[in-house]
Amino acid sequence: TDPKVGITTCVQYALEHFGIHEPDNDKLEPFIGPPLQDSFEQFYHMDAETAKQAVAKYRERFQTVGLYENEIYDGMADLLKTLKEGGCRLAHNPSSSTAFRFTPCFKPTVFFKKILEHFDVAQYFDVVVGSELDGSRTKKEEVVQEALRQLDPKGQASSGQMVMIGDRCFDVQGAK
């Protein structure tokens, strides 16, 4: 899906809480991809505690409204269905996607599952892995490792049998 509206509007909501007004959603696109806490620290020079509070404000809006403010790309549901019917096992994790781009900020699994259900594509995924609300599993590598562990618990698949699709530098890092 294209997550820009949901992510950037939730970032605006969080920033407003701190008296920061950013009317241009385009300027908030860098929040799509990296962990939220890191983005608030880097782009708005927040200390760790303030950034943590900003993430909480972001999620306050995201959990009820923002997660649905995206649009599925044309043909994606059909592609997922075709892949699944063709015998592919699909895993999805935010910020690196197997046919989708939701990311951001490594969405917590609980939100991510709601998005997949909202777009009626959850049934195509064998594994859905994101970060956790308690702050664990926030690094791209950790999310990818957990998805691989769940897809192949015995570790028998070779790297030649797997494909990772993404559109951010974080996806490349995760794939490596």
Side-chain angles (χ1 to χ4, degrees):
T1 65
D2 180 354
K4 180 181 176 180
V5 171
I7 291 171
T8 58
T9 304
C10 290
V11 170
Q12 284 176 320
Y13 177 82
L15 291 173
E16 286 287 338
H17 177 76
F18 297 96
I20 302 168
H21 182 68
E22 179 50 73
D24 186 356
N25 282 9
D26 291 341
K27 289 183 180 177
L28 300 174
E29 280 188 34
F31 276 83
I32 301 172
L36 282 172
Q37 174 130 359
D38 295 351
S39 295
F40 283 117
E41 289 177 15
Q42 179 183 353
F43 304 132
Y44 286 89
H45 311 290
M46 294 180 177
D47 61 46
E49 183 56 37
T50 305
K52 185 176 178 181
Q53 292 171 18
V55 170
K57 289 307 282 185
Y58 172 99
R59 287 185 178 157
E60 181 178 287
R61 184 181 186 282
F62 188 83
Q63 69 185 341
T64 57
V65 179
L67 73 161
Y68 303 117
E69 291 178 319
N70 49 30
E71 296 180 13
I72 193 167
Y73 290 116
D74 289 340
M76 282 295 111
D78 290 336
L79 173 63
L80 291 169
K81 181 179 180 187
T82 299
L83 290 169
K84 188 69 174 169
E85 288 174 351
C88 292
R89 295 191 67 222
L90 303 177
H92 198 317
N93 57 73
S95 186
S96 84
S97 39
T98 308
F100 278 106
R101 184 191 85 184
F102 280 113
T103 98
C105 35
F106 308 120
K107 281 182 186 55
T109 304
V110 65
F111 298 149
F112 201 53
K113 287 181 178 181
K114 287 181 181 183
I115 292 169
L116 294 175
E117 290 166 4
H118 175 76
F119 287 104
D120 196 29
V121 294
Q123 71 271 17
Y124 301 125
F125 293 95
D126 299 285
V127 172
V128 176
V129 177
S131 64
E132 296 304 327
L133 290 173
D134 66 5
S136 62
R137 204 169 46 227
T138 59
K139 293 188 173 123
K140 184 54 167 189
E141 300 80 26
E142 295 168 335
V143 175
V144 173
Q145 280 180 330
E146 180 60 18
L148 291 173
R149 188 193 67 72
Q150 289 184 34
L151 271 176
D152 184 28
K154 295 181 181 178
Q156 296 175 339
S158 71
S159 61
Q161 295 174 295
M162 298 177 208
V163 175
M164 183 169 153
I165 300 169
D167 64 353
R168 302 280 174 178
C169 64
F170 306 99
D171 302 323
V172 174
Q173 292 167 356
K176 287 181 179 179

